[in-house]
Amino acid sequence: MADERDDEDKRPASRRVADQLRSAIESGVYQVGEPLPPLRQLAELHHVAVNTAMAAVRILTEEGYINSKPNAANYVRDPRSVVDSEQELRRLRAELGELRSQVRQAGGNLAAIEERLSGLSEVVTRLENQTRRAK
């Protein structure tokens, strides 16, 4: 068995456990919505320390395979939902940037309009004063 694991042993233990758990999730051993076994049990199953099992779960959480909550179970999630969320987030950020740009442009336009209004107001006031003096 050591010969089969030579390549695997070059990876950190947390990465090996994460890879094994990911394979189990992808093959349906752990279904979406199901909790993973507790960390202590995962550590025993994979012959690693609890901290190593925690690190493996953290890796899969970052990859979107697990919903992890402190002091609670770690639940399997559909990693495709993370991709959809990330795409939606990128779209929303782009829209937000576009709206900010439009607000800046509108602000610049409003400043120009206010300047023109102020200029016209001064001209109207001057003409009104000239008209009054002429009467």
Side-chain angles (χ1 to χ4, degrees):
M1 177 144 176
D3 294 336
E4 293 173 8
R5 295 180 50 140
D6 282 346
D7 289 336
E8 286 183 14
D9 286 339
K10 294 176 184 174
R11 294 175 293 153
S14 59
R15 178 58 63 183
R16 283 195 317 268
V17 173
D19 291 346
Q20 291 168 2
L21 286 171
R22 186 183 315 97
S23 293
I25 291 168
E26 290 174 346
S27 68
V29 172
Y30 300 114
Q31 298 286 318
V32 172
E34 279 185 9
L36 286 180
L39 291 172
R40 289 186 197 285
Q41 188 177 348
L42 285 175
E44 289 174 15
L45 288 169
H46 294 277
H47 308 289
V48 295
V50 173
N51 285 344
T52 302
M54 285 173 49
V57 167
R58 193 175 315 115
I59 290 168
L60 293 177
T61 299
E62 290 169 2
E63 293 178 1
Y65 283 88
I66 295 174
N67 241 354
S68 183
K69 296 180 183 173
N71 302 321
N74 297 298
Y75 289 88
V76 177
R77 67 183 294 192
D78 184 355
R80 293 174 297 189
S81 68
V82 173
V83 172
D84 293 342
S85 296
E86 288 173 357
Q87 289 173 348
E88 178 68 5
L89 186 57
R90 278 193 293 276
R91 186 191 69 74
L92 289 172
R93 283 183 179 145
E95 185 176 350
L96 183 60
E98 183 181 324
L99 288 172
R100 283 185 175 140
S101 175
Q102 289 176 3
V103 166
R104 275 189 232 109
Q105 183 180 1
N109 290 343
L110 287 175
I113 291 169
E114 285 178 358
E115 189 176 318
R116 285 179 57 199
L117 283 171
S118 178
L120 285 174
S121 180
E122 289 174 12
V123 170
V124 167
T125 302
R126 195 174 11 170
L127 288 174
E128 287 175 342
N129 289 340
Q130 287 174 359
T131 305
R132 283 190 203 126
R133 285 185 216 140
K135 288 184 180 179

